[in-house]
Amino acid sequence: MFIDPTATVILYFVLAVVWVVQFAQLMMFEDDSFRGHWDKLIWVAVFILVFPVAPFAFLIWKKAYQEHLDAAKYESERNNIEMK
């Protein structure tokens, strides 16, 4: 009895592509984008040690970080309008 491994190979390939894309995006972030001094290094360690979960955790963090930046930009623009 032979089990076709095609689905498993496709799943691993998709995970590898997602991992590489998210890791590249992590590397493109400036060091100032992270609060702590070692946060980027910690993310790299997470990507290496917990590789199946890390890209998805980073996606969640990145979305929250972008929402934080958008809120800060909105607040800054609102304060500038009120001061005029």
Side-chain angles (χ1 to χ4, degrees):
M1 181 174 183
F2 178 73
I3 299 174
D4 187 24
T6 306
T8 305
V9 170
I10 291 172
L11 180 65
Y12 283 143
F13 180 75
V14 169
L15 179 60
V17 169
V18 170
W19 190 94
V20 168
V21 169
Q22 292 306 310
F23 189 76
Q25 288 183 3
L26 169 66
M27 291 290 102
M28 288 190 299
F29 268 92
E30 297 290 329
D31 290 341
D32 298 338
S33 300
F34 300 95
R35 288 185 171 192
H37 184 69
W38 299 101
D39 285 1
K40 191 170 187 179
L41 182 63
I42 291 169
W43 269 113
V44 169
V46 168
F47 264 83
I48 293 170
L49 297 174
V50 195
F51 60 90
V53 179
F56 305 107
F58 184 69
L59 274 168
I60 293 168
W61 175 85
K62 192 171 50 173
K63 182 175 177 355
Y65 179 71
Q66 188 61 46
E67 289 173 358
H68 170 73
L69 288 180
D70 292 344
K73 182 179 177 183
Y74 173 77
E75 187 66 30
S76 174
E77 290 173 354
R78 198 175 105 204
N79 287 341
N80 287 339
I81 291 171
E82 289 177 359
M83 294 187 86
K84 291 181 180 180

